[in-house]
Amino acid sequence: MTVEQGALTTDGSTSLGPAPAAAARESMPAGPPAATKNSWRRALKKDWRLYTFLILPILFLLIFRYLPMAGNVIAFRRFRPGGSIFGDEWVGLHYVKMFISDPKFWEVFQNTVILGALSLAICFPMPILLALLLNEVRIRWFKRLVQTVSYLPHFMSIVIVAGMIFQIFSVQGTINQLISVVGVDPVNFMQDADWFRTIYISSEVWQTVGWGTILYLAALTTIDTQLYESARIDGANRLQQTWHITLVGIRPTMITLLVLNIGTFLAVGFEKVLLIYNPLTYPTADVISTYLYRIGIESSNFSYATAIGLFESIIGLVLVLGANEISKRAVGTSLW
């Protein structure tokens, strides 16, 4: 090992200067970065078989997601069936002004916001609660039974779910047969606008909660068990362990799913609403997606429907960006 000797001064002390080796290193130019410009080419050449699996998803996104975006131009052009797919004449913000001044649009917009808010406030935390409860179950067969039973509704067709809703809530359905036993007159749930939101949200909880627990249960397995042991030694009870360890451990997953759910805030389930609503329940059941279906498909007013759909998409984009930025600043977790 070489030790640098300093220069001798007039008073007999030594002055230690930089080591020759260190000085030489400092004078040398910086070498090339580890990641070169051609690194992605080498990775592609090395793992090209894996990258081939991306071809179909990319083609799907290009054909069914990005290519249709060109059709948004007819929100600003007058489209006539049989004419140009990009419209015949430029009308500017004519259709935007139409739906802004249309009271019916703001009625369906209000219904969409209410159903979206109820779904977010009720359906989002329920899988977290179920995952926390299942995490505390120590009887393995019972835990698997609950998981299986709660997962099954997710795999049912929306048509089957809608048929079950009619069987349960119709005038001769299960609910009315039960309340008739105690002498209560039957209630026409499916024709009453005041009951639609309750029926829709309850069916959403039944169909989506079990499936939503899968991601949270997977996130729970990544939490270090030594944290729970340390907490028990410090005297923390089960509730305190859940609050300070479990919820903190799955917080990134919670934030990610919350941002995604906020992004689809206005995209209330079109298929289910279309199957179970009727003109009598329009005041509370008609949402933007069903309104677009009637205006665009049934009435062939494609330019007007496109303008409304573009407005909905812009709001969804703003919500995603806003929620992601708030999450990044508040808890340090975000999608990007």
Side-chain angles (χ1 to χ4, degrees), residues 57-76 79 85-87 302 305-307 309-310 313:
I58 291 176
L59 288 177
F60 176 84
L61 289 175
L62 291 176
I63 296 174
F64 296 102
R65 291 294 185 267
Y66 287 94
L67 188 61
M69 288 183 184
N72 286 325
V73 71
I74 67 174
F76 311 101
F79 175 81
I85 60 174
F86 297 111
F302 297 105
T306 302
L310 183 60
S313 300

Side-chain angles (χ1 to χ4, degrees), residues 18 253 271 306:
T253 304
E271 295 88 354
T306 302

Side-chain angles (χ1 to χ4, degrees), residues 218-239:
L220 288 172
T221 60
T222 63
I223 300 176
D224 190 356
T225 56
Q226 294 181 358
L227 296 175
Y228 293 103
E229 297 176 359
S230 300
R232 284 194 294 269
I233 294 174
D234 293 336
N237 55 34
R238 297 301 301 176
L239 182 60

Side-chain angles (χ1 to χ4, degrees), residues 42 116 127 168 191 282 303 327:
R42 290 200 300 268
I168 294 173
Q191 306 296 329
Y282 279 176
S303 294
S327 172

